[in-house]
Amino acid sequence: MRSAGVRLRRVAEGQEAGGVDAGALCSAAVLVGLAIVLDGAAASMVNGLGGLLWLGAGALLVRAVRRSERPIVGSVAVLGATLTLVLVARPFAVEQAARGFAAAGLVVTILVRPSGTTWAFLVPAAWLPVHLVVAIGRSLIEGGTRIRTDPPPTAAIVPLIMVLAAWAGGWLAQRAAAAWPNTRETMLRGRTGD
């Protein structure tokens, strides 16, 4: 029972993603992946539902981290990582998505320590709105009037890979941070001969 209480406190403090927000983001990624497989009106409808769920999950994640210890650092880190992924990496292939989002989740979690994977989940959650803003901006600059509403031209597994890779990067950063005091202590003991 105590471990459940500790976990709930950590979720409330933005140190861990809760089940609802992380689950909603994964569900949204599955829906977008399904939309990629489908055709026609069904694809557009499922893609729209997935997009709305993605945005809702992002709002839940933002709510979860609002009382964390380093909200400004976390916000800047998430925005910077997400902008980099949208403008530079453009993760449309499985390998690109896995590498880019794992690295982003790792870096964001390191910068926001001691907070946990919630901040890492915010990278893929923020990707959709940032991607949409950039697409609208490009369309306005180029004089276009149409924004694509069809599913993205990518492998169906890529949306879920984005979410899971960011989480994995954050998880690795957490594990490394947890091990660091032990490693540092062992190294210092070795130097002093204790």
Side-chain angles (χ1 to χ4, degrees), residues 110-135:
I110 287 170
L111 292 174
V112 188
R113 67 179 188 276
S115 294
T117 57
T118 304
W119 285 100
F121 274 114
L122 270 168
V123 174
W127 188 87
L128 178 62
V130 169
H131 171 72
L132 291 173
V133 168
V134 168

Side-chain angles (χ1 to χ4, degrees), residues 136-144:
I136 291 168
R138 284 182 178 152
S139 179
L140 292 173
I141 290 170
E142 295 169 0

